Amino acid sequence: MSGLWVSDSGDRFVAVSDNGKSVTGRLSYDAQGRLVGAGHYDVRPLILDKSLDYRGRLNDSEDLIRLPDGGWLVPFERNHRILRYDGADRPEGTPRKLPVPPGLENAPANGGVEALAALSDGRILAIEEGDDDGVRERHAWIAPADPKARGDWQPLTYRAAPRFRPTAAAPLPDGGVLVLERRVSLLGGWAARIVHVPADSLRGGATMDGVELARLEPPLPTDNFEGLAVRPDAGGGLFVYIVSDDNRSPLQRTYLMMFQLPAGALKATVAGR
């Protein structure tokens, strides 16, 4: 699973895999509200656009966002593009290609837009994963809800932690975003960070240098975390979900985890910057 959306009620999820499939299912909780299971899966292939300019794989879908009007956006790597889908319960039907952010065509084949979010004010934020080259700064772009031309995308920069790369983003009610970052190394294995980027950093020309809220490293359960979703809780806080992509490897696992972010925690991180 490389992209994730969870309903506000928490009982339903939609995900995409990096082989061009959408997955829907149900989530279950115990009496204390802790996530305990998922099931009732329905897996279907995404309908893909086609172009004579494309080379290689077309179906490397990497994230998933639900738009306020009910549509869906899915970014793809290798043939870098962002497709808009209709569909009431999942991305379905023939997609429409959005104008490509300027410079995205120069991204590494396996390092395009992995993090995409529909902000609370309607704008779209896209962040490039980039190469595993130790560079902390990654290309990012922000655009109106339905960009009509490449020039509608304004460039900005995302600064990750050393050796980490952004893999997902989720909008927050206050106008900011959470960003999921991933690291992998031969010695340290898998690791992940959840980072808060406040709303005042989400503008053209800015550098998004967020505050780390959580880090998952051994001995905690770790894997290739690539999907992130957020929903409100009844107490004014947030539930944060992350899901891992097992790369179809017997040595990895697909984990779905839920965390609770208490009310006021995001304001505290902004005040402490």
Side-chain angles (χ1 to χ4, degrees), residues 49 65 72-76 79-85 96-101 104 113 116 124 126 153:
D49 64 326
I65 64 173
W72 304 84
L73 293 184
V74 179
F76 291 79
N79 288 286
H80 300 305
R81 65 212 194 273
I82 300 172
L83 300 184
R84 179 188 169 106
Y85 290 86
R96 173 170 61 89
K97 182 181 176 183
L98 267 60
V100 178
L104 181 59
V113 172
L116 194 69
I124 302 168
W153 291 96

Side-chain angles (χ1 to χ4, degrees), residues 136 156-159 172 174-179 193 195-203 205-213 264-273:
R136 296 182 61 189
L156 63 165
T157 301
Y158 181 81
R159 180 174 291 140
L172 297 171
D174 66 359
V177 292
L178 294 187
V179 178
R193 294 200 323 147
V195 178
H196 174 218
V197 177
D200 60 6
S201 297
L202 301 177
R203 64 185 189 282
T207 295
M208 296 176 283
D209 193 355
V211 177
E212 181 178 303
L213 299 179
L266 296 180
K267 291 182 180 179
T269 65
V270 173
R273 293 178 75 206

Side-chain angles (χ1 to χ4, degrees), residues 171-228:
L172 297 171
D174 66 359
V177 292
L178 294 187
V179 178
L180 178 65
E181 298 178 7
R182 174 196 58 205
R183 185 195 70 203
V184 61
S185 67
L186 292 176
L187 296 178
W190 297 102
R193 294 200 323 147
I194 299 174
V195 178
H196 174 218
V197 177
D200 60 6
S201 297
L202 301 177
R203 64 185 189 282
T207 295
M208 296 176 283
D209 193 355
V211 177
E212 181 178 303
L213 299 179
R215 185 179 291 221
L216 278 72
E217 295 178 314
L220 296 173
T222 60
D223 212 290
N224 179 30
F225 286 107
E226 289 197 3
L228 173 70

Side-chain angles (χ1 to χ4, degrees), residues 9-22:
S9 60
D11 64 337
R12 191 171 67 88
F13 77 89
V14 182
V16 293
S17 71
D18 61 4
N19 61 357
K21 292 183 172 63
S22 68

Side-chain angles (χ1 to χ4, degrees), residues 78 80 103-113 128-131 139 141:
R78 304 184 192 276
H80 300 305
L104 181 59
E105 65 274 11
N106 300 320
N110 196 31
V113 172
E128 174 193 84
E129 179 190 12
D131 270 323
H139 297 293
W141 302 266

